[in-house]
C-alpha cells in the first residue's frame, strides 16, 4: 500500500482506501482526482455493484483536506491550483451524492471537513465507537463546505446550525441521532462487515442486499450527550441574529450553554456570520444550488484574510493565536457578508 489512495476490487465490491494515516488521512490534491476517476469508471461497470470507502488505521476515516497545500498555493500566488482543488472536490461531493450504486463509508475514527464530503453525501455511513465527527471550519476562518449546506440542514431542528457554527465534535450515538451516520457497528466487527459486503455485492439485488446487511450488523449505541440538551439548543439557536443567539445562551444559564458560548468565542466572527446566513438560507436549496453557493463562498474566503490567517495560526506557525478581521461579531459588516453570496459570473462552479 504505497499509494495515497489504494483502489481495488473484491468480488463486485469496489474498494477505496485513504492511505495517509500519518496525517489522519487528510486529502491531497491528487486524491480528489484519483477518487473521481475510480467512481466515474465504476458507474457503468457491471463488474462493480457496490462501493466501500474507508481510511487506513484506527485513528481516522479522514480528517479533511490538506489545508497546508492551500496556504502554500495562495502564498505563491497560484490561485489556479486552489480553484482546481475546490472545484474538483465539490464536483466529487456531488458525484457521491448522486451515485447510482450503493456507496458505503466506514467512519472509524475522525471524520471532519473534507472527510464528511466523501461520506455524509453518500447513501450509507457506518459509525463505530471511535467515530468523532465535526465540521470545524469556523475555527480556521472558513465555513462548513463540501455539501454541508445540504447535509447539516438534514439534521434535526437547529442541530446542523449548532454544529456548523461551533465545530462541536459528535461521538457515534449523537452522529447516528443527528443523521450524520446511518448505522452503528462496533469496530471489532468491521472485518465481518467487509466480508458480508463482498457477498452483498454479488447478489442479484445489491442495493437491497447492502441495506439488509447493514441492518443485520447495526447495533443501537444508546443516547449521546447532545440529545440531553436538545431543548436548550432549539431555544437558543432559534433567533436569526447571532447576537440574539449568544444572549439566549447567556440567559439559559446552564453549563451546556456556557460551554457553547466558549466554543463560539474561539471562532472567526466573519465566518460565524457567513455560516449563519449560509445554513439558514440554504434549508430549502437542492444539492446542486447548495454546492454552487459553497464554491462562491470558498472563492471569496480564499481571496480574503481570515482563512489564510487561520491556517497560519493552526497549521503553519502553530501559535494558535489567529488575528481575525474583524475581531468581533459587533464589527461584522453585513454588506460584506452579503457580497460573499453574489454569483461569480464566468467563474461559477460548472457541474456536469
Amino acid at each position: 500500500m504505497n499509494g495515497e489512495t489504494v483502489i481495488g476490487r473484491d468480488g463486485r465490491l469496489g474498494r477505496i482506501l485513504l492511505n495517509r494515516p500519518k496525517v489522519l488521512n487528510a486529502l491531497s490534491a491528487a486524491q480528489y482526482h484519483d477518487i473521481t476517476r475510480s467512481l466515474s469508471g465504476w458507474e457503468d461497470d457491471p463488474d462493480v455493484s457496490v462501493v466501500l470507502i474507508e481510511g487506513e488505521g484506527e485513528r481516522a476515516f479522514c480528517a479533511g483536506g490538506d489545508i497546508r497545500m492551500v496556504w502554500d498555493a495562495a502564498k505563491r500566488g497560484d490561485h489556479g491550483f486552489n480553484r482546481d482543488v475546490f472545484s474538483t472536490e465539490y464536483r466529487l461531493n456531488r458525484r457521491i451524492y448522486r451515485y447510482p450504486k450503493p456507496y458505503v463509508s466506514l467512519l472509524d475514527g475522525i471524520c471532519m471537513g473534507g472527510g464528511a464530503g466523501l461520506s455524509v453525501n453518500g447513501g450509507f455511513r457506518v459509525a463505530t465507537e471511535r467515530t468523532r465527527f465535526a465540521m470545524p471550519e469556523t475555527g480556521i476562518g472558513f465555513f462548513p463546505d463540501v455539501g454541508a449546506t445540504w447535509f447539516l440542514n438534514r439534521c434535526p431542528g437547529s442541530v446542523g446550525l449548532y454544529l456548523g457554527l461551533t465545530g462541536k465534535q459528535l461521538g457515534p450515538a449523537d452522529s447516528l441521532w443527528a443523521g450524520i451516520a446511518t448505522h452503528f457497528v462496533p469496530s471489532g466487527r468491521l472485518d465481518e462487515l467487509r466480508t458480508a459486503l463482498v457477498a452483498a455485492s454479488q447478489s442479484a439485488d445489491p442495493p437491497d442486499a447492502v441495506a439488509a446487511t447493514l441492518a443485520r450488523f447495526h447495533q443501537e449505541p444508546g443516547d449521546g450527550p447532545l440529545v440531553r440538551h436538545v431543548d436548550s439548543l432549539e431555544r437558543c439557536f432559534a433567533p436569526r441574529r447571532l447576537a440574539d443567539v449568544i444572549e439566549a445562551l447567556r440567559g439559559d444559564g446552564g453549563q451546556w450553554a456556557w460551554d457553547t458560548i466558549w466554543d463560539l468565542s474561539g471562532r472567526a466572527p466573519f465566518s460565524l456570520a457567513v455560516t449563519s446566513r449560509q445554513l439558514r438560507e440554504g434549508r430549502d436549496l437542492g444539492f446542486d444550488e447548495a454546492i454552487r453557493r459553497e464554491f462562491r463562498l470558498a472563492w471569496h474566503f480564499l481571496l480574503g484574510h481570515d482563512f489564510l490567517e487561520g491556517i497560519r495560526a493552526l497549521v503553519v506557525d502553530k501559535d494558535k493565536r489567529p488575528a481575525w478581521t474583524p475581531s468581533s461579531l459587533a464589527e461584522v459588516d453585513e454588506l460584506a457578508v452579503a457580497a460573499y453570496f453574489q454569483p461569480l459570473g464566468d467563474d461559477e462552479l460548472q457541474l456536469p
Side-chain angles (χ1 to χ4, degrees):
M1 295 195 304
N2 295 321
E4 292 182 333
T5 311
V6 180
I7 310 293
R9 296 185 187 180
D10 196 347
R12 297 176 66 207
L13 181 71
R15 299 190 64 174
I16 300 172
L17 179 69
L18 309 177
N19 189 35
R20 302 182 75 204
K22 291 183 179 179
V23 290
L24 301 177
N25 297 319
L27 295 158
S28 70
Q31 287 182 283
Y32 298 122
H33 292 281
D34 292 341
I35 297 168
T36 297
R37 281 193 295 270
S38 296
L39 292 180
S40 178
W42 288 340
E43 277 194 22
D44 299 316
D45 186 345
D47 293 326
V48 175
S49 63
V50 180
V51 173
L52 174 67
I53 184 169
E54 57 186 308
E56 174 62 22
E58 300 178 351
R59 297 176 62 198
F61 165 70
C62 175
D66 185 349
I67 55 176
R68 174 62 189 257
M69 68 181 176
V70 173
W71 191 85
D72 289 340
K75 288 303 178 182
R76 65 176 182 266
D78 192 352
H79 299 303
F81 174 87
N82 282 335
R83 179 182 177 84
D84 178 72
V85 166
F86 280 88
S87 61
T88 302
E89 181 180 21
Y90 291 0
R91 291 187 191 115
L92 174 57
N93 299 148
R94 180 188 185 248
R95 181 179 295 277
I96 291 167
Y97 171 75
R98 297 166 63 96
Y99 208 66
K101 298 178 179 181
Y103 182 96
V104 183
S105 308
L106 301 186
L107 308 184
D108 189 26
I110 293 169
C111 176
M112 297 183 182
L118 291 185
S119 55
V120 185
N121 290 315
F124 300 102
R125 293 90 64 188
V126 179
T128 75
E129 72 279 3
R130 294 189 287 243
T131 296
R132 293 295 180 272
F133 167 85
M135 296 299 291
E137 288 79 7
T138 57
I140 56 168
F142 200 52
F143 72 102
D145 62 334
V146 298
T149 304
W150 172 264
F151 63 72
L152 287 182
N153 273 317
R154 307 281 83 74
C155 294
S158 299
V159 170
L161 179 63
Y162 163 79
L163 295 175
L165 290 172
T166 65
K168 196 69 173 180
Q169 290 189 24
L170 298 185
D174 282 324
S175 293
L176 189 68
W177 168 73
I180 299 300
T182 58
H183 297 81
F184 173 78
V185 178
S187 60
R189 299 199 67 196
L190 289 182
D191 282 343
E192 294 176 67
L193 177 60
R194 294 182 185 101
T195 300
L197 288 172
V198 173
S201 75
Q202 305 197 71
S203 73
D205 189 345
D208 280 355
V210 168
T213 296
L214 291 172
R216 188 171 75 251
F217 276 81
H218 172 69
Q219 298 180 18
E220 289 298 331
D223 289 338
L226 185 58
V227 176
R228 298 196 297 268
H229 302 290
V230 67
D231 290 342
S232 292
L233 188 156
E234 292 300 332
R235 183 172 60 254
C236 293
F237 281 81
R240 295 189 63 85
R241 294 178 64 250
L242 281 171
D244 294 334
V245 170
I246 293 172
E247 188 61 30
L249 288 166
R250 289 197 180 104
D252 180 275
Q255 188 60 51
W256 173 84
W258 286 111
D259 289 344
T260 301
I261 292 173
W262 176 258
D263 291 334
L264 291 170
S265 69
R267 310 277 140 179
F270 193 79
S271 292
L272 290 175
V274 169
T275 298
S276 180
R277 178 167 177 166
Q278 168 206 357
L279 295 178
R280 292 183 189 279
E281 291 187 355
R283 286 174 176 165
D284 297 323
L285 295 180
F287 189 90
D288 285 7
E289 181 56 30
I291 204 77
R292 285 193 188 97
R293 284 196 179 193
E294 289 180 9
F295 185 78
R296 294 172 198 165
L297 296 176
W299 195 238
H300 285 296
F301 274 104
L302 283 163
L303 298 179
H305 169 270
D306 278 1
F307 186 29
L308 297 181
E309 171 63 7
I311 299 174
R312 180 206 65 76
L314 274 74
V315 177
V316 180
D317 296 337
K318 300 181 181 179
D319 58 27
K320 298 183 179 180
R321 297 180 63 184
W324 304 127
T325 302
S327 60
S328 70
L329 282 173
E331 299 174 88
V332 172
D333 182 347
E334 290 301 326
L335 291 178
V337 172
Y340 270 42
F341 290 82
Q342 296 305 306
L344 298 174
D346 292 340
D347 291 327
E348 282 286 282
L349 178 68
Q350 301 303 311
L351 297 174

